[in-house]
Amino acid sequence: MTSQTNRQFLLAKRPVGAATRETFTYQEVPVGEPGAGQILVKNQYLSLDPAMRGWMNEGKSYIPPVEIGEVMRALGVGQVIASNNPGFAVGDYVNGALGVQDYFLGEPRGFYKVDPKLAPLPVYLSALGMTGMTAYFALLDVGAPKAGDTVVLSGAAGAVGSIAGQIAKIKGCRVVGIAGGADKCKYLIDELGFDGAIDYKHEDVLAGLKRECPKGVDVYFDNVGGEILDAVLSRLAPKARVVICGAISQYNNKEAVKGPANYLSLLVNRARMEGFVVMDYAAQYAGAAQEMAGWMAKGQLKSKEDIVEGLQTFPETLMKLFSGENFGKLVLKV
């Protein structure tokens, strides 16, 4: 394998505000051979997620930060091309933390096999991957929707929001999505079967919530934080549940994170707000994936991927997440 070259993006510095190409060091190094217990994977698709911005920050979090000089962390799917690990054979397709590079070489900690005959590889990074697991457990466990509930989701046309909204529909809820732009809102209603949509780029969110949720919001699935979170807090129904899954509007702040101003609505409505980290549910992933695959087979659950080609485009492609350019799950084809 030493004749092969591995292109890599390493974290060069901790960004203040948005990450740019200068945040990373690009290098080309020879591909090594797997040692004892290691595998060599040819990466095919990488998952680009808002959480990656948080992984660049120093400080306590649910996962250690990427260190300066390390390959930038990214989940991905690829094929094993050499193995010194009895659990993985040459030819196996695997899902794991492959990193922003052409090849992964190391111990396959947390890796698991996937079958490209059952679903296209990018789907294992969206509906049948960490994205789908996030939507499934955040909605069903933390949000605890009941049939007839009104469920509102921000970032509703994004990777997690679009899947969580469809699961809410499967569970018999009235579902309203908040998304940016007429095309995304039309997609939510026409393609995914949402009951209503609010275009935050072209209408007042509070006015949209009054129109679409006249009886209030029973479950709010928050992916964005900021002003939209405040607007929804003002429309909570009694005993509402607010799921804090993400806060993409705040990740590139140069100042302190803006917290909710309307939090007293939680008191008045005896509501609760709870944070969510998908890794807490790792032992239950297999069962969730099986149920979601069944919904997909029946046509009840659709997965949309926004695939961009070329490892070299990584820094610019990552920023599509924060400008709202991506439509569906953002995936980088290596």
Side-chain angles (χ1 to χ4, degrees):
M1 297 307 303
T2 50
S3 62
Q4 298 284 350
T5 298
N6 191 13
R7 299 173 297 164
Q8 299 177 318
F9 280 93
L10 284 60
L11 186 64
K13 60 184 179 181
R14 304 209 179 276
V16 177
T20 65
R21 184 165 280 273
E22 286 66 46
T23 304
F24 306 98
T25 299
Y26 172 79
Q27 68 178 21
E28 297 182 2
V29 296
V31 177
E33 298 280 355
Q38 295 185 335
I39 61 174
L40 180 64
V41 179
K42 184 168 177 35
N43 300 344
Q44 297 195 10
Y45 295 94
L46 299 176
S47 174
L48 299 189
D49 302 290
M52 294 171 78
R53 178 61 188 80
W55 298 341
M56 300 177 205
N57 295 336
E58 200 162 27
K60 186 172 182 254
S61 186
Y62 62 90
I63 190 172
V66 177
E67 295 297 338
I68 302 298
E70 279 187 351
V71 174
M72 182 60 205
R73 182 186 296 139
L75 300 175
V77 288
Q79 188 172 31
V80 178
I81 58 173
S83 177
N84 263 328
N85 186 300
F88 296 89
V90 171
D92 285 346
Y93 287 89
V94 295
N95 186 319
L98 301 177
V100 184
Q101 54 188 344
D102 288 305
Y103 297 90
F104 167 86
L105 176 63
E107 293 182 23
R109 292 184 185 134
F111 283 38
Y112 59 92
K113 298 174 191 177
V114 298
D115 187 348
K117 296 190 191 74
L118 295 180
L121 288 176
V123 176
Y124 288 105
L125 297 177
S126 55
L128 297 181
M130 203 66 76
T131 296
M133 299 301 105
T134 299
Y136 182 97
F137 290 109
L139 179 74
L140 297 181
D141 192 68
V142 182
K146 304 181 296 292
D149 278 353
T150 294
V151 176
V152 174
L153 308 98
S154 57
V160 171
S162 61
I163 294 171
Q166 291 178 82
I167 296 173
K169 283 299 297 179
I170 291 169
K171 297 298 181 180
C173 300
R174 171 176 168 76
V175 179
V176 176
I178 303 173
D183 288 347
K184 289 183 178 180
C185 289
K186 187 172 188 300
Y187 168 74
L188 293 178
I189 293 171
D190 294 352
E191 295 292 323
L192 302 187
F194 283 30
D195 299 286
I198 299 167
D199 181 356
Y200 75 85
K201 288 188 176 178
H202 298 104
E203 66 174 310
D204 179 71
V205 172
L206 193 53
L209 287 165
K210 289 177 180 175
R211 178 188 73 238
E212 299 292 346
C213 313
K215 296 180 181 178
V217 177
D218 298 297
V219 179
Y220 176 48
F221 193 111
D222 187 30
N223 289 305
V224 303
E227 294 177 3
I228 291 177
L229 170 60
D230 264 340
V232 181
L233 286 176
S234 72
R235 297 294 299 167
L236 293 183
K239 295 289 185 180
R241 287 82 70 200
V242 178
V243 184
I244 303 299
C245 186
I248 198 167
S249 72
Q250 303 297 301
Y251 292 163
N252 289 325
N253 277 9
K254 294 182 181 178
E255 301 84 30
V257 168
K258 179 182 179 296
N262 287 336
Y263 81 96
L264 285 179
S265 179
L266 298 168
L267 183 156
V268 172
N269 291 294
R270 295 82 159 170
R272 67 174 166 85
M273 186 184 320
E274 185 173 335
F276 169 85
V277 174
V278 70
M279 294 170 186
D280 296 345
Y281 296 84
Q284 301 171 59
Y285 288 171
Q290 191 171 14
E291 185 169 23
M292 292 175 74
W295 290 335
M296 292 182 79
K298 292 178 189 172
Q300 294 177 288
L301 181 65
K302 297 179 182 177
S303 180
K304 182 179 179 67
E305 292 79 44
D306 184 343
I307 300 175
V308 178
E309 295 206 21
L311 184 75
Q312 292 279 23
T313 71
F314 163 67
E316 291 76 25
T317 303
L318 179 66
M319 291 315 299
K320 287 179 66 172
L321 290 168
F322 301 96
S323 60
E325 288 178 62
N326 64 300
F327 199 158
K329 170 66 192 156
L330 188 58
V331 175
L332 189 65
K333 185 178 182 182
V334 178

